[in-house]
Amino acid sequence: MNNDNNSVEDSHEGIAEAPTSKTSSLDSLDNLDALSQYIKSTKGTREGRAIPPLEKWHPEDIADMDLTIKANGEWWHEGGQMTRESLVSLFATILWKEENNGDTEYFLKTPVQKIRIQVEDAPLLINDVGIVHEDDMSWLEFTTTTGDVVRLDDEHSIVLKAYNSNKSDSNDSDFSASDSNNSDKANQANQVSTADDVVDSQELASTEQVRPYMMVRNGLTALIGRNTFYHLTEIGALSEENGKTILKLQSGGKSYSLSMPTD
């Protein structure tokens, strides 16, 4: 699969107004070219990367696409990685999550059809964090690889959760400290397994990892990447409380704490 890097991005944007009910052309929405054109044609007056009103769309038609969001944040379609970032970001705007009979399902949602896809872990990946100042207030602001920007607050919290995955023997290499002054923080960050730890190999044994996640939008969570989480340990304050290592973060005038794993 390489057509996502060529023909899709060259799709015509001056498409006539898209249908709001099922038509014969709907049958082809589960391929990348048609879906990309459809999203662009229904963009309307939305500017930039605004998220469409997915919660107002209630399509009855459901299709399946051979598209998987890997645990390391990569998007793969029909066995090939989607390397065009603009295309992945476009599809990420219509990501939708549903809970059905205890199972979590993910879709690319349009007004006329939901296209079921597979997600190995979190559907979004955070790869940057910084401190922004606004109205005499400082915020921790996070950015995903697909363009979402979210600040740490009560509605967008960070949690550590266990995740079972195939684990690389060299998964700690990115957290190695070259500076002895940073070694303690590096060792603490090393205890949290993140996106770069995951390898796609069925031969490796399944291992439970503790990974950091953040709520973003519409019930979608983002995995916080390894380098970003390491940066958080530098921004925040590490302390020992009741035998546990606590990472404290300040954002929006409030304090948020993460209890780091001990093993």
Side-chain angles (χ1 to χ4, degrees), residues 10-18 36-37 40-42:
D10 296 329
S11 300
H12 297 295
E13 302 207 15
I15 301 174
E17 184 176 355
S36 175
Q37 289 187 359
K40 293 176 181 179
S41 70
T42 57

Side-chain angles (χ1 to χ4, degrees), residues 121 160-164 208-211 213:
D121 187 12
L160 299 178
K161 295 190 298 183
Y163 169 73
N164 289 323
E208 185 175 88
Q209 307 170 351
V210 176
R211 310 178 81 182
Y213 302 85

Side-chain angles (χ1 to χ4, degrees), residues 121-181:
D121 187 12
L124 302 172
L125 173 64
I126 290 173
N127 68 340
D128 187 48
V129 62
I131 301 175
V132 297
H133 304 280
E134 184 177 282
D135 298 329
D136 298 324
M137 191 80 69
S138 295
W139 298 83
L140 283 180
E141 189 171 86
F142 298 77
T143 305
T144 71
T145 56
T146 47
D148 289 283
V149 177
V150 61
R151 294 178 178 180
L152 176 61
D153 58 23
D154 293 342
E155 295 183 0
H156 305 90
S157 58
I158 300 174
V159 297
L160 299 178
K161 295 190 298 183
Y163 169 73
N164 289 323
S165 73
N166 295 315
K167 195 172 183 181
S168 170
D169 292 336
S170 60
N171 60 357
D172 290 337
S173 60
D174 289 345
F175 273 141
S176 298
S178 59
D179 186 342
S180 60
N181 293 330

Side-chain angles (χ1 to χ4, degrees), residues 63-75:
D64 290 277
M65 178 184 287
D66 183 7
L67 192 156
T68 300
I69 301 177
K70 298 287 189 178
N72 62 3
E74 295 174 352
W75 288 50

Side-chain angles (χ1 to χ4, degrees), residues 1-254:
M1 191 300 284
N2 291 316
N3 62 349
D4 68 288
N5 294 324
N6 299 307
S7 60
V8 175
E9 195 61 21
D10 296 329
S11 300
H12 297 295
E13 302 207 15
I15 301 174
E17 184 176 355
T20 56
S21 60
K22 185 176 179 180
T23 67
S24 59
S25 64
L26 182 60
D27 296 332
S28 64
L29 271 189
D30 56 354
N31 71 71
L32 296 185
D33 288 330
L35 183 58
S36 175
Q37 289 187 359
Y38 186 88
I39 298 172
K40 293 176 181 179
S41 70
T42 57
K43 185 176 180 180
T45 59
R46 291 186 289 119
E47 296 180 358
R49 198 185 165 278
I51 304 300
L54 303 179
E55 69 282 355
K56 297 181 180 180
W57 297 348
H58 306 286
E60 296 182 359
D61 191 82
I62 300 177
D64 290 277
M65 178 184 287
D66 183 7
L67 192 156
T68 300
I69 301 177
K70 298 287 189 178
N72 62 3
E74 295 174 352
W75 288 50
W76 284 65
H77 177 252
E78 296 182 348
Q81 184 181 352
M82 297 173 59
T83 57
R84 186 174 287 276
E85 295 180 1
S86 59
L87 181 63
V88 172
S89 294
L90 180 66
F91 288 164
T93 64
I94 58 170
L95 274 172
W96 185 253
K97 174 184 175 182
E98 291 184 5
E99 301 290 342
N100 296 315
N101 299 320
D103 294 327
T104 300
E105 293 186 309
Y106 292 92
F107 301 89
L108 300 179
K109 188 178 183 183
T110 75
V112 294
Q113 189 178 49
K114 291 189 302 184
I115 302 169
R116 185 184 292 109
I117 65 172
Q118 302 302 311
V119 177
E120 291 184 349
D121 187 12
L124 302 172
L125 173 64
I126 290 173
N127 68 340
D128 187 48
V129 62
I131 301 175
V132 297
H133 304 280
E134 184 177 282
D135 298 329
D136 298 324
M137 191 80 69
S138 295
W139 298 83
L140 283 180
E141 189 171 86
F142 298 77
T143 305
T144 71
T145 56
T146 47
D148 289 283
V149 177
V150 61
R151 294 178 178 180
L152 176 61
D153 58 23
D154 293 342
E155 295 183 0
H156 305 90
S157 58
I158 300 174
V159 297
L160 299 178
K161 295 190 298 183
Y163 169 73
N164 289 323
S165 73
N166 295 315
K167 195 172 183 181
S168 170
D169 292 336
S170 60
N171 60 357
D172 290 337
S173 60
D174 289 345
F175 273 141
S176 298
S178 59
D179 186 342
S180 60
N181 293 330
N182 292 329
S183 60
D184 291 339
K185 289 187 177 182
N187 289 335
Q188 295 298 337
N190 237 343
Q191 297 168 359
V192 179
S193 176
T194 52
D196 294 343
D197 293 344
V198 180
V199 293
D200 189 15
S201 172
Q202 296 300 319
E203 290 76 21
L204 295 181
S206 178
T207 305
E208 185 175 88
Q209 307 170 351
V210 176
R211 310 178 81 182
Y213 302 85
M214 188 174 189
M215 182 62 64
V216 178
R217 55 176 164 88
N218 293 331
L220 300 176
T221 57
L223 173 65
I224 299 177
R226 170 183 289 276
N227 290 337
T228 304
F229 190 79
Y230 177 51
H231 191 195
L232 274 183
T233 66
E234 296 178 323
I235 293 175
L238 289 169
S239 62
E240 296 290 333
E241 297 181 12
N242 300 321
K244 296 182 178 179
T245 301
I246 306 297
L247 173 61
K248 291 186 178 180
L249 302 169
Q250 303 293 326
S251 182
K254 293 187 177 182

